[in-house]
């Protein structure tokens, strides 16, 4: 019996669509930690991440009728959290890309030999990155979005996403090397 991953927790989702509060709470319990981790990585402030996660769940449950199993419930909810986090950052006027009016074309990445790096240094380095760079790194490396998706999410071109990622990566390596 083969199951399609898109239908993970289908029974809970369907009962939640009909207003079953217990099923909504079960979905909340299943996904709250993962969504909080996304929020904290993107926003960096515990209280902001908590607020965004709560708002995301409220919006998700209000709009469950529009959920059509084109993705998993978790992916759908993750997209809500990411979009709400980005909107929150925009409201705080944190620049997402400092060079948004310019297009930058990069040559193919050249494989660089990288020494093993202490994960603690990477975490410290990520915290020291400018907000726009941190956001691109988080969306690409941690959340797994590709440059086309990042461009759509941030309302920038794919090539701007690539160039910002390239710059962010270089800046992260510089920061790590000074630690």
């Amino acid at each position: 019996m083969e199951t399609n991953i898109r239908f993970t927790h289908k029974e809970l989702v369907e009962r939640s669509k009909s207003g079953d509060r217990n099923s909504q709470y079960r979905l909340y319990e299943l996904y709250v930690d993962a969504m909080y981790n996304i929020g904290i990585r993107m926003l960096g402030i515990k209280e902001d991440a908590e607020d965004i996660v709560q708002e995301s769940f409220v919006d998700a449950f209000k709009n469950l009728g529009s959920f059509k199993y084109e993705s998993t419930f978790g992916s759908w909810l993750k997209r809500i959290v990411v979009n709400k986090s980005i909107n929150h950052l925009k409201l705080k006027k944190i620049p997402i890309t400092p060079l948004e009016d310019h297009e930058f074309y990069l040559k193919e990445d050249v494989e660089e030999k990288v020494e093993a790096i202490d994960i603690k240094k990477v975490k410290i380095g990520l915290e020291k990155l400018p907000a726009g760079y941190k956001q691109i790194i988080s969306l690409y490396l941690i959340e797994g979005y590709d440059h086309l998706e990042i461009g759509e999410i941030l309302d920038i071109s794919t090539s701007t996403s690539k160039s910002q990622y390239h710059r962010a990566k270089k800046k992260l390596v510089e920061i790590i090397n000074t630690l």
Side-chain angles (χ1 to χ4, degrees):
M1 183 175 143
E2 186 178 322
T3 59
N4 190 329
I5 192 165
R6 290 179 300 157
F7 299 106
T8 304
H9 304 118
K10 182 178 182 182
E11 187 177 324
L12 285 175
V13 171
E14 289 302 315
R15 287 195 315 232
S16 294
K17 280 182 178 183
S18 65
D20 180 357
R21 296 282 187 211
N22 288 331
S23 295
Q24 289 176 349
Y25 185 70
R26 285 281 298 128
L27 281 173
Y28 176 84
E29 284 181 322
L30 288 168
Y31 289 98
V32 68
D33 292 338
M35 297 305 121
Y36 173 77
N37 287 335
I38 293 165
I40 198 71
R41 281 193 301 263
M42 293 197 66
L43 301 170
I45 299 170
K46 178 182 179 278
E47 291 79 9
D48 288 352
E50 290 170 348
D51 290 346
I52 292 300
V53 168
Q54 292 305 317
E55 290 173 24
S56 297
F57 273 101
V58 169
D59 282 0
F61 291 139
K62 279 183 184 175
N63 297 303
L64 260 180
S66 68
F67 178 64
K68 305 292 184 211
Y69 299 98
E70 294 166 353
S71 65
T72 63
F73 175 77
S75 295
W76 183 70
L77 182 60
K78 176 181 175 179
R79 187 72 172 211
I80 294 171
V81 172
V82 167
N83 287 335
K84 283 197 165 293
S85 297
I86 289 167
N87 289 338
H88 180 78
L89 290 172
K90 285 180 182 177
L91 286 175
K92 289 180 106 176
K93 298 196 185 321
I94 296 174
I96 294 171
T97 57
L99 302 170
E100 62 189 74
D101 295 333
H102 300 86
E103 297 282 327
F104 294 94
Y105 299 93
L106 303 174
K107 296 185 273 182
E108 290 297 316
D109 281 341
V110 177
E111 294 265 340
E112 298 175 22
K113 291 188 179 184
V114 181
E115 297 176 27
I117 298 175
D118 183 6
I119 191 70
K120 290 177 187 172
K121 287 185 178 182
V122 173
K123 287 181 179 180
I124 293 168
L126 282 171
E127 290 303 315
K128 291 186 176 192
L129 278 175
Y133 284 171
K134 183 177 177 183
Q135 192 169 42
I136 292 284
I137 291 273
S138 292
L139 287 171
Y140 187 78
L141 290 180
I142 299 171
E143 303 307 332
Y145 288 103
D146 62 31
H147 290 293
L148 181 65
E149 293 170 317
I150 293 170
E152 290 171 1
I153 291 168
L154 300 179
D155 197 26
I156 58 176
S157 70
T158 302
S159 59
T160 300
S161 174
K162 288 178 182 178
S163 68
Q164 289 298 304
Y165 170 70
H166 182 72
R167 285 185 169 85
K169 192 168 65 169
K170 283 179 92 171
K171 182 70 173 173
L172 180 59
V173 170
E174 286 175 20
I175 291 170
I176 290 170
N177 287 337
T178 64
L179 298 176

